[in-house]
């Protein structure tokens, strides 16, 4: 059974197609792994019985199915709507909300024959970098259960890293796929803004949110993106993005200009992380890529810009949670306003309340121009800076996070410090660009380090191909926490 | 002191699209609560809006018709506030870049002159739901059927000085929007609603006084009365040395007065920001040109044309063009070949009379233009006379009956047999010797009597003019 | 940017959040710290820079005006904490 879990999603998909493995066998193996990894708390809702039924139903067409991921068990972050299955955003306020509709992504996965094991833990409403703000308790890092898995897609990263599922669907507003992927030693991609439909993704910051995959390697990520991307008539911001990413993986990076922005490797970056990330440059250079160094001073401004915009949109997006139409409602209210206030104050956690208040402030009368409008202007400058950088290079290489995964409880005490740790990821969301995080080494404590590849808009094929090339030559992505224990 | 009343209007108009502004639910009026709803218009988490093409087209056409500048690059913003009729807790509207600005609407003043009301802006937005208070359970029921119905809000500059000007503007606005076909403008169903901003100032003053906003005005009559009440109230306050408080006031139809409303929110800070879920709109010159080319001829232009080309009196042309349903009917009747003056006479006479009798609006009557055109044709072909036609019209009006069938069924066809008419005249004259003698003695009225007798004999089915002619001819002949 | 407890009260009211005295005090300090950090943006000259609300130049994403069946009402009401068979219910909200 262990070997089955060690297969990549594509390998398992191929084995299912050939009839070497039944979908039910794979599903049972995953369910056992989920059970065995319960201490990680990576799932909020498990749908084992449904998964087994689905597995049996899907088996009929296993040999003729078109998708290379047909029958492969996976799991979905709990801010993506699943019809009839509880979708909580890891918040008390959504209570037992079971949406009467599917997200477009959920539908596309089902059409492609994915087996869903359940819904994954996350920071409440995707606000956090550690998965500690979940109402359902923190998820733990499979490499060291005293450490956080990152966030907000911490449940997704931990589930993939612990071999509890072959891939997971996460969401990324300021790094929420890439940073946990980095902390947990898996590969994660946030595509170009609009490449994947947001319909059914419970919004945190609408202009920045993107759904994307977390998986064992770049090829699996490409296959998942192929499944879920593309224009959606229900999402006006979605793009006519053609997939075929998997077919584009050649490993040929000759002549690729890899940009190394000096401002991403300066103060505040852990030395071990720097060394590991720069090893990617070396590996790609060995395959014929060209390295280009330049300064990227706009980095100074990206965190405040991101937090102003994200908080502002969040304050509006989260206003609909009032205890009336769905979700949890406070008891003992005196009148309408009291119902709203009690439900929201008790239903949201501290970090969500903080961001709602911050967002309300930056939009409020008298402060809009100084904060919100200013941030929209700086966003324009960030986009320009990337446009310029991509005149000099084809891809950029940066760290994902300044350090490897911190210990549980270390981050939440100082919100500003937590925000600052998002510095390398948020700029990518501001500019709407594709970004990928992949394992590129381990620190002395044995924790995985991630490297980020950033491409111009719609350059997903280039980003994934570079990661694929790197993974052809390295085996960081093949390590598993269990393997590490075995070595130790 | 003499006071001047200064008024500005904010008019919300429901657009006559088939579907809501951001989802494909029907906009049909009525329906059981929450049956015209989906996860999008009820603000379910994760759902997204996609703009209805027709809403943009209707708003742009309204902007063009009100002589506005169209904002070529416009976009939506969110207006944030908590209220149970707004399930997302924000209304998608347009603040920063409304689709149209700087318009002009000419109105006729009481003195017979023309005045231009300036339009500040016209923007698109979504309607809110309906709340119904249940006094037994002391709770409020939320019906989201109206949520997401498309609206345009038309904001004027404070250019009105009298209630009459306001009503003249609203009639002009209603006519324009009806002509465009972008709204049915039914005030009773709330598809045209008005908020009135009113302040007073000493005559000659340049600065505006403190204004109040009046809501809940659902008829032109209510608007006129609310303006009269509120201007009196403000003037009295100022004359007593008191202040006008800037606030929203509700018009109470039954009490004939305005009352201070508790504001929706204790703090009014809507925190508008660009709607991230909806990409901006960019209207090309070619698109606008195409819309301009499709704009129908408006009431004023049509009024002038009817006077000029059809020789209709100004008042008749005015009535016909006053309502879209009437003018459409008129155009259809003449398109079927009826002479315009004849058609106008029928419509302004019998048709209006029947509408009044039935208490109906032109837009809801059963009668079709084809029917009236056919009836007019039968009269001009001499197959029935006018009196008979009126009878037929009155009978077929309620159900749009077929005049041909009616005439046949009731044997009303005109007598075409000249010999029969002549014989009848002969017979009547020989029987009515006294009247004939009267006539010959110089009493002209006797002619009418004799004609009437002939018509009676023919059961009214002869052409009265022909009978008149025959009787006169016969009387001219020497006695035999 | 100096944040006062009154400002926190104001935005709490707008957000329909009600903080306890200690939370309010804590939030005042945290917001002040966060906003002080955000003031770094004042160091960047944005005169004449167009605010960018939508990152890509997508425009005119429009839908045809064609009616589709509405949703099953029971499904829409199912998640409500307080509803009758036809409507969502709230405490008295009409004057």
């Amino acid at each position: 059974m262990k070997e089955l879990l060690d297969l990549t999603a594509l390998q398992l998909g191929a084995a299912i197609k050939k009839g070497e493995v039944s979908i039910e066998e794979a599903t049972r193996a995953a369910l056992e792994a989920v059970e065995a990894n319960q201490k990680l708390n990576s799932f909020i809702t498990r749908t084992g019985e449904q998964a087994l039924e689905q597995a049996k139903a899907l088996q009929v067409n296993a040999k003729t199915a078109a998708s290379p991921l047909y029958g492969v068990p996976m799991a979905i972050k709990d801010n993506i709507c699943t019809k009839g299955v509880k979708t909580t955003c890891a918040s008390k306020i959504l209570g037992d909300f079971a949406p009467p509709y599917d997200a477009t992504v959920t539908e596309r996965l089902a059409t492609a024959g994915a087996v869903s094991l359940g819904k994954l833990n996350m920071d409440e409403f995707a606000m956090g970098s550690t998965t500690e703000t979940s109402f359902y308790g923190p998820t733990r890092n499979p490499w060291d259960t005293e450490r956080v898995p990152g966030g907000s897609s911490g449940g997704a990263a931990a589930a993939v890293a612990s071999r509890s599922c072959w891939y997971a669907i996460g969401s990324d507003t300021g790094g929420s796929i890439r940073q946990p992927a980095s902390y947990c030693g898996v590969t994660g991609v946030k595509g170009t803004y609009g490449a994947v439909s947001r319909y059914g993704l419970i919004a945190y910051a609408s202009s920045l949110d993107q759904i994307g995959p977390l998986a064992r390697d770049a090829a699996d990520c490409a296959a998942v993106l192929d499944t879920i991307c593309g224009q959606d008539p229900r999402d006006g911001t979605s793009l006519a993005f053609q997939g075929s990413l998997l077919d584009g993986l050649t490993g040929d990076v000759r002549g690729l200009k890899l940009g190394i922005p000096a401002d991403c490797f300066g103060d505040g970056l852990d030395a071990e992380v720097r060394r590991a990330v720069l090893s990617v440059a070396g590996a790609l250079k060995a395959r014929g890529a060209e390295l280009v160094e330049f300064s990227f001073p706009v980095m100074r401004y990206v965190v405040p810009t991101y937090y102003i915009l994200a908080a502002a949109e969040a304050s509006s997006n989260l206003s609909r949670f009032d205890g009336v139409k769905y979700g949890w409602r406070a008891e003992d209210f005196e009148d309408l306003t009291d119902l709203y206030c009690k439900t929201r104050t008790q239903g949201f956690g501290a970090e969500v309340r903080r961001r709602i208040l911050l967002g309300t402030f930056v939009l409020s009368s008298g402060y809009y121009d100084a904060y919100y409008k200013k941030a929209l202007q700086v966003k324009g400058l960030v986009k320009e800076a990337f446009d310029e950088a991509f005149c000099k290079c084809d891809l950029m290489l940066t760290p994902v996070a300044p350090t490897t995964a911190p210990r549980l409880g270390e981050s939440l005490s100082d919100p500003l410090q937590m925000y600052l740790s998002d510095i390398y990821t948020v700029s990518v969301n501001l500019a709407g660009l594709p970004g990928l995080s992949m394992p590129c080494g381990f620190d002395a404590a044995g924790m995985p380090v991630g490297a980020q590849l950033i491409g111009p808009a719609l350059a997903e094929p280039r980003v994934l191909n570079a990661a694929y090339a790197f993974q052809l030559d390295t085996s960081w992505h093949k390590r598993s926490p269990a393997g590490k224990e075995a070595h130790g | 002191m003499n006071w001047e009343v200064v008024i500005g209007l904010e008019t919300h108009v429901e657009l006559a699209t088939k579907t809501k502004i951001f989802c494909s639910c029907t906009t049909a009026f009525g329906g059981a609560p929450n049956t015209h709803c989906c996860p999008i218009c009820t603000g379910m988490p994760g759902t997204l809006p996609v703009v209805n093409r027709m809403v943009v087209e209707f708003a742009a056409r309204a902007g063009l018709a009100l002589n506005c500048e169209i904002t070529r690059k416009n976009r939506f913003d969110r207006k944030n506030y908590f209220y149970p009729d707004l399930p997302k807790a924000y209304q998608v509207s347009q603040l920063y870049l409304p689709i149209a600005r700087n318009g002009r609407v000419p109105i006729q003043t009481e003195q017979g002159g023309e005045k231009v009301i300036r339009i500040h802006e016209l923007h698109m937005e979504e309607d809110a739901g309906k709340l119904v208070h249940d006094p037994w359970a002391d709770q409020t029921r939320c019906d989201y059927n109206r949520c997401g119905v498309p609206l345009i809000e038309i904001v004027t500059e404070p250019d009105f000085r009298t209630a009459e000007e306001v009503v003249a503007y609203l009639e002009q606005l209603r006519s324009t929007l009806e002509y465009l076909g972008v709204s049915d403008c039914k005030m009773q169903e709330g598809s045209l609603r008005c908020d009135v901003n009113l302040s007073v100032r000493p005559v000659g003053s340049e600065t505006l006084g403190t204004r109040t906003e009046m809501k809940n005005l659902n008829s032109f009559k209510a608007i006129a009365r609310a303006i009269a009440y509120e201007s009196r109230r403000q003037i009295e306050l100022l004359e007593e040395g008191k202040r006008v408080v800037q606030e929203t006031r509700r018009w109470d139809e039954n009490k004939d007065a305005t009352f201070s409303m508790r504001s929706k929110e204790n703090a009014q800070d809507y925190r508008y920001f660009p709607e991230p879920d909806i990409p901006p709109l960019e209207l090309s010159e070619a698109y606008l040109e195409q819309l301009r080319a499709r704009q129908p001829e408006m009431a004023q232009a049509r009024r002038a044309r009817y006077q000029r080309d059809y020789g209709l009196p100004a008042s008749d042309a005015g009535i016909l063009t006053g309502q879209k349903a009437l003018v459409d009917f008129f155009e259809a009747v003449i398109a079927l070949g009826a002479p315009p003056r004849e058609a106008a006479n029928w419509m302004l006479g019998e048709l209006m009379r029947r509408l009044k009798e039935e208490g109906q609006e032109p837009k809801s009557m059963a009668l079709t233009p084809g029917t009236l055109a056919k009836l007019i044709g039968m009269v001009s072909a001499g197959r029935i006379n006018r009196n008979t036609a009126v009878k037929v019209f009155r009978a077929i009006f309620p159900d749009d009956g077929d005049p041909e069938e009616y005439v046949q069924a009731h044997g009303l066809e005109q007598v075409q047999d000249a010999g029969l008419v002549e014989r009848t005249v002969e017979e009547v004259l020989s029987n009515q010797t006294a009247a004939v003698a009267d006539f010959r003695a110089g009493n002209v009225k006797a002619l009418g009597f004799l004609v009437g007798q002939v018509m009676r004999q023919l059961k009214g089915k002869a052409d009265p003019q022909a009978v008149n002619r025959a009787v006169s001819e016969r009387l001219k002949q020497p006695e035999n | 940017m100096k944040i006062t407890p009154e400002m926190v009260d104001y935005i709490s009211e707008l957000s329909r959040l009600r903080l306890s005295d200690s939370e309010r005090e804590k939030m005042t300090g945290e917001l002040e710290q966060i906003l002080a950090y955000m003031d770094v943006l004042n160091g960047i000259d944005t005169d004449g820079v167009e605010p960018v609300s939508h990152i890509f130049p997508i425009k005119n994403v429009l839908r045809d005006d064609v009616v589709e069946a509405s949703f099953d009402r029971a499904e829409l009401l199912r998640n409500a904490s307080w509803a009758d068979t036809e409507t969502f219910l709230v405490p008295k909200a009409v004057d």
Side-chain angles (χ1 to χ4, degrees), chain C residues 1-53:
Chain C
M1 181 78 232
K2 176 75 192 152
I3 301 295
T4 63
E6 289 71 33
M7 289 161 88
V8 173
D9 288 344
Y10 175 72
I11 54 176
S12 301
E13 193 188 323
L14 285 176
S15 315
R16 296 292 182 275
L17 293 172
R18 198 177 283 153
L19 305 183
S20 69
D21 288 348
S22 61
E23 283 171 314
R24 172 171 171 246
E25 195 183 322
K26 187 162 171 261
M27 194 62 78
T28 306
E30 284 174 354
L31 282 181
E32 181 154 318
Q33 190 199 7
I34 292 165
L35 288 162
Y37 166 65
M38 288 174 171
D39 285 338
V40 67
L41 296 186
N42 294 331
I44 186 166
D45 182 10
T46 50
D47 272 1
V49 177
E50 199 54 34
V52 175
S53 51

Side-chain angles (χ1 to χ4, degrees), chain A residues 91-93 124-125 127 133 311 314-315 318 341-361 419, chain C residues 8 11-12 15-20 22-24 26-27 30-31 34:
Chain A
S91 181
K92 178 181 175 183
I93 207 161
E124 185 182 3
F125 282 102
M127 297 179 193
T133 69
S315 73
L318 271 59
C341 290
K342 280 191 176 137
T343 299
R344 291 169 57 79
T345 305
Q346 297 164 27
F348 291 132
E351 182 58 31
V352 173
R353 291 201 302 264
R354 184 182 296 121
R355 292 195 198 185
I356 289 174
L357 289 172
L358 175 62
T360 302
F361 178 80
Y419 298 171
Chain C
V8 173
I11 54 176
S12 301
S15 315
R16 296 292 182 275
L17 293 172
R18 198 177 283 153
L19 305 183
S20 69
S22 61
E23 283 171 314
R24 172 171 171 246
K26 187 162 171 261
M27 194 62 78
E30 284 174 354
L31 282 181
I34 292 165

Side-chain angles (χ1 to χ4, degrees), chain A residues 62-82:
Chain A
K63 291 197 170 147
T64 53
S67 169
L69 297 175
Y70 188 88
V72 177
M74 55 94 207
I76 299 173
K77 189 177 179 179
D78 211 22
N79 58 351
I80 296 169
C81 287
T82 42

Side-chain angles (χ1 to χ4, degrees), chain B residues 8-58:
Chain B
L9 287 193
E10 293 167 20
T11 311
H12 287 88
V13 179
E14 267 181 18
L15 296 179
T17 54
K18 295 189 189 74
T19 66
K20 294 185 177 182
I21 184 168
F22 300 128
C23 67
S24 301
C25 288
T26 177
T27 55
F29 187 75
N34 293 306
T35 54
H36 297 171
C37 294
C38 73
I40 298 169
C41 53
T42 54
M44 291 270 189
T47 60
L48 296 171
V50 181
V51 180
N52 181 345
R53 179 187 313 281
M54 208 52 83
V55 171
V56 179
E57 181 178 318
F58 281 5

Side-chain angles (χ1 to χ4, degrees), chain B residues 156-167:
Chain B
T156 73
E157 299 291 351
D159 286 350
F160 303 98
R161 296 296 174 266
T162 65
E164 288 73 20
E165 288 176 5
V166 169
V167 171

